[in-house]
């Protein structure tokens, strides 16, 4: 009898230890709640945009300092400018990771963080003038970001190479791409051939390239995330095609953004770039994902409660 009690006691201790050990095991990516992935994507996006704002102001400071020299060198030969580019790369890496966890309709509007941070940095360190219109514009940007993040549709889709291929060969996306190419050529002609240097031109060209960046970044980061979860996507050619598009569009986007930074203050360039970039990113995301619609039960705004989160007090559909 005593032996049986000892065996029972030992078994209970073993079970308790195993349960305690299992409770400390971190959850896998598949078990993460959509709310948790959105929060992680938000933190990565905010961190990345702060680094980008610091980078843009370093690049602006480089342009200003080179203009003060008797024999200025090209900005791309300056070590300080390359430090800014490194910070921008780190910030874009944070945004890249954010697109793997959260929808573009959540990540893109968070570029508002770079607007506010850049305004503060440019006023304090670059001694630029902060006008009342800048304060009003920044306030409206914050309000617009809140509305976009709060009421945007939270579409959670697993991105694979097959889905990406289906998106890019759809006629809606091809028409969108053709219209964007025509607009890009017209703007480039006005900017380069006609010599029109209005601030909107280089930033609009940059935003058109940014729409390709958003699509390619979302595709590459999504396929990397799917590969980490176990569905390897690296063997498909579409992965490397989107990777090349991502790198090329980012490089030329930085070029036109720097040309705007040379001509205008950071307090003017960053807010306009944010508005144009966010608009192009949301449009590009809509055009590239409208072919496959999620089920109605999977569509929730960021503030809604999922079906599985209903409390015991809330009546079920069957009870109704």
């Amino acid at each position: 009898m005593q032996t049986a009690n000892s065996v029972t006691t030992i078994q209970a201790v073993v079970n308790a230890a195993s349960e305690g050990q299992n409770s400390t095991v971190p959850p896998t990516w598949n078990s993460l709640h959509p709310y948790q992935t959105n929060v992680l994507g938000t933190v990565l996006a905010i961190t990345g945009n702060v680094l980008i704002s610091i980078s843009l102001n370093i690049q602006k400071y480089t342009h200003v300092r080179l203009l003060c020299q008797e024999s200025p060198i090209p900005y791309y030969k300056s070590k300080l400018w390359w430090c800014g580019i490194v910070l921008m790369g780190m910030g874009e890496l944070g945004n890249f990771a954010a697109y793997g966890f959260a929808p573009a309709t959540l990540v893109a509007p968070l570029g508002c963080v770079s607007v506010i941070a850049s305004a503060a940095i440019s006023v304090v360190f670059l001694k630029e003038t902060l006008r009342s219109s800048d304060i009003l514009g920044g306030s409206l940007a914050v309000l617009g970001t809140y509305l976009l993040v709060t009421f945007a549709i939270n579409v959670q889709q697993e991105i694979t190479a097959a889905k990406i291929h289906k998106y890019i060969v759809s006629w809606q996306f091809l028409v969108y791409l053709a219209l964007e190419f025509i607009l890009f050529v017209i703007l480039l002609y006005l900017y380069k051939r006609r010599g029109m240097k209005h601030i909107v031109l280089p930033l609009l060209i940059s935003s058109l390239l940014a729409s390709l960046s958003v699509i390619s970044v979302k595709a590459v980061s999504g396929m990397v995330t799917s590969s980490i979860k176990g569905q390897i996507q690296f063997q498909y050619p579409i992965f490397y095609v989107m990777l090349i598009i991502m790198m090329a569009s980012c490089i030329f986007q930085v070029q036109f953004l720097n040309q705007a930074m040379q001509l205008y203050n950071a307090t003017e360039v960053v807010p306009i770039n944010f508005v144009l970039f966010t608009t192009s990113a949301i449009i590009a995301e809509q055009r590239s994902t409208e072919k496959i619609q999620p089920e109605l039960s999977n569509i929730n705004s960021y503030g809604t409660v999922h079906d599985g989160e209903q409390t015991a007090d809330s009546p079920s559909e069957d009870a109704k």
Side-chain angles (χ1 to χ4, degrees):
M1 187 69 177
Q2 184 176 2
T3 304
N5 292 334
S6 300
V7 171
T8 304
T9 303
I10 294 174
Q11 185 65 33
V13 172
V14 171
N15 291 335
S18 61
E19 290 178 0
Q21 184 178 2
N22 291 334
S23 63
T24 60
V25 175
T28 61
W29 283 21
N30 292 327
S31 63
L32 287 178
H33 193 275
Y35 174 78
Q36 294 174 314
T37 60
N38 287 338
V39 169
L40 182 56
T42 301
V43 172
L44 290 172
I46 291 175
T47 304
N49 283 303
V50 170
L51 292 176
I52 290 174
S53 64
I54 297 174
S55 165
L56 291 175
N57 282 276
I58 290 177
Q59 294 176 55
K60 178 61 181 179
Y61 175 75
T62 303
H63 295 314
V64 172
R65 194 177 70 169
L66 291 176
L67 288 176
C68 297
Q69 297 179 357
E70 296 181 358
S71 56
I73 61 174
Y75 63 87
Y76 51 82
K77 291 185 179 180
S78 173
K79 294 181 180 179
L80 185 60
W81 183 83
W82 280 106
C83 290
I85 289 297
V86 171
L87 284 178
M88 177 172 281
M90 295 172 61
E92 293 295 348
L93 184 62
N95 282 334
F96 173 85
Y99 279 111
F101 290 99
T105 50
L106 173 62
V107 177
L110 290 175
C112 173
V113 175
S114 67
V115 176
I116 305 303
S118 180
I121 294 172
S122 60
V123 170
V124 174
F125 294 99
L126 298 181
K127 307 303 180 182
E128 295 184 2
T129 303
L130 184 63
R131 301 162 298 181
S132 57
S133 59
D134 297 328
I135 299 176
L136 177 61
S139 302
L140 292 176
V142 172
L143 177 60
T145 300
Y146 170 77
L147 293 176
L148 281 172
V149 172
T150 303
F151 297 104
I153 298 299
N154 181 9
V155 180
Q156 294 289 348
Q157 294 192 58
E158 186 176 5
I159 298 178
T160 60
K163 286 186 178 181
I164 296 299
H165 183 268
K166 187 174 183 179
Y167 292 152
I168 64 176
V169 299
S170 62
W171 70 267
Q172 293 97 330
F173 180 74
L174 293 178
V175 170
Y176 166 77
L177 196 61
L179 293 175
E180 184 177 88
F181 177 76
I182 293 173
L183 182 59
F184 178 83
V185 172
I186 294 174
L187 293 173
L188 192 62
Y189 172 78
L190 295 175
Y191 182 66
K192 293 293 186 181
R193 295 295 182 181
R194 292 295 182 178
M196 299 176 63
K197 301 298 181 182
H198 194 276
I199 186 173
V200 173
L201 282 177
L203 293 181
L204 192 54
I205 294 174
S206 178
S207 67
L208 291 177
L209 293 170
S211 65
L212 294 178
S213 299
V214 169
I215 295 173
S216 56
V217 166
K218 183 66 177 177
V220 173
S221 61
M223 285 188 282
V224 170
T225 303
S226 297
S227 299
I228 295 176
K229 290 181 178 180
Q231 300 181 5
I232 306 301
Q233 306 292 315
F234 302 136
Q235 72 272 23
Y236 298 102
I238 191 63
F239 173 81
Y240 301 97
V241 171
M242 301 306 291
L243 183 63
I244 294 173
I245 294 175
M246 179 187 71
M247 296 175 63
S249 60
C250 288
I251 291 173
F252 287 106
Q253 182 183 346
V254 169
Q255 179 182 356
F256 286 104
L257 186 58
N258 269 274
Q259 292 178 8
M261 294 288 287
Q262 285 180 299
L263 300 174
Y264 301 94
N265 292 332
T267 51
E268 297 173 326
V269 173
V270 177
I272 296 176
N273 182 66
F274 162 70
V275 173
L276 296 177
F277 169 78
T278 304
T279 303
S280 63
I282 293 177
I283 293 175
E285 176 74 2
Q286 177 66 23
R287 294 301 97 189
S288 62
T289 57
E290 66 177 1
K291 286 293 292 180
I292 299 181
Q293 296 292 338
E295 297 179 358
L296 293 177
S297 60
N298 294 330
I299 298 181
N300 300 281
S301 76
Y302 295 110
T304 57
V305 180
H306 294 269
D307 294 338
E309 296 176 336
Q310 293 181 345
T311 59
D313 296 333
S314 61
S316 61
E317 295 295 333
D318 296 336
K320 295 179 180 179

